[in-house]
Amino acid sequence: MTDATKRKVLVPIADGTEEIEAVCIIDVLRRAGAEVTVASVDDLQITASRGVKLVADCKIEDCREDHFDLIALPGGIPGAEHLRDSPPLVQLLLRHQARGGWYGAICAAPAVVMSHHGLLGGRQATGHPSFTEQLTDGQPVAARVVVDGKCVTSQGPGTALEFALTLVALLYDDARAKTVAAPMIVA
């Protein structure tokens, strides 16, 4: 798919990132035509939560001056903790939110990263059920995907495809999301 205005997306990863979530976000957004940058807060090659090796395009430090249409955080423990503890990523997220850009997180990341750094700002949010009590900066909602303002959150590996397609619909439109979903045989 091509688009006159290619959307730029940042997907940060770290050792312990949940691989289903990371790869689903990256894959679906690339299918939609987005220019996705995978940036590691650790080494370029990371070991995801279930032992899968993932190789980033660059280090998060290389993205400091870049502007993105969306920053989407996969979850996983300790991956989300590594994202939370990355000063360059936190600076990017805070600047991105202040500019009014789309940002999202799934699984542990809404609580561990976004709520921890005040990025929910009272918005409705969801996350993995074992982390919803930690959504202290937001209003926990028991839903698969929640969109509140420019913030998008989701529950976990089983909702990753729905989360990614929601991101496509928000960045482009519903028609683009349906066009991406159809050949993947999404119900």
Side-chain angles (χ1 to χ4, degrees):
M1 251 175 230
T2 60
D3 190 285
T5 340
K6 195 168 228 42
R7 307 308 194 270
K8 290 184 67 174
V9 177
L10 175 65
V11 179
I13 60 172
D15 280 323
T17 288
E18 166 51 62
E19 48 269 74
I20 289 174
E21 296 162 0
V23 172
C24 191
I25 295 165
I26 295 161
D27 177 275
V28 170
L29 285 160
R30 285 184 176 165
R31 286 174 191 250
E35 179 185 324
V36 179
T37 300
V38 181
S40 176
V41 302
D42 297 314
D43 295 327
L44 282 180
Q45 179 175 299
I46 63 105
T47 302
S49 63
R50 302 299 181 270
V52 174
K53 306 279 188 221
L54 299 174
V55 180
D57 300 314
C58 61
K59 299 273 227 125
I60 197 69
E61 293 84 3
D62 300 331
C63 299
R64 286 183 188 199
E65 302 305 317
D66 294 341
H67 295 279
F68 297 94
D69 298 296
L70 165 69
I71 299 176
L73 309 177
I77 294 293
E81 295 165 335
H82 293 301
L83 298 181
R84 174 197 66 206
D85 298 338
S86 168
L89 175 58
V90 173
Q91 290 169 0
L92 271 166
L93 283 165
L94 292 171
R95 184 180 76 208
H96 185 75
Q97 181 195 40
R99 283 185 34 244
W102 288 103
Y103 60 104
I106 185 170
C107 194
V112 173
V113 182
M114 292 171 65
S115 186
H116 179 84
H117 290 293
L119 291 161
L120 295 178
R123 290 175 185 83
Q124 291 187 342
T126 193
H128 193 278
S130 63
F131 287 90
T132 53
E133 288 183 11
Q134 295 177 39
L135 292 171
T136 56
D137 181 43
Q139 301 172 38
V141 176
R144 294 174 62 80
V145 178
V146 174
V147 179
D148 189 344
K150 295 281 187 155
C151 179
V152 187
T153 53
S154 189
Q155 292 183 317
T159 65
L161 188 56
E162 186 178 346
F163 176 64
L165 288 167
T166 298
L167 296 174
V168 171
L170 294 169
L171 280 178
Y172 294 97
D173 55 36
D174 288 336
R176 176 76 57 105
K178 288 177 183 173
T179 300
V180 171
M184 295 191 317
I185 319 301
V186 176

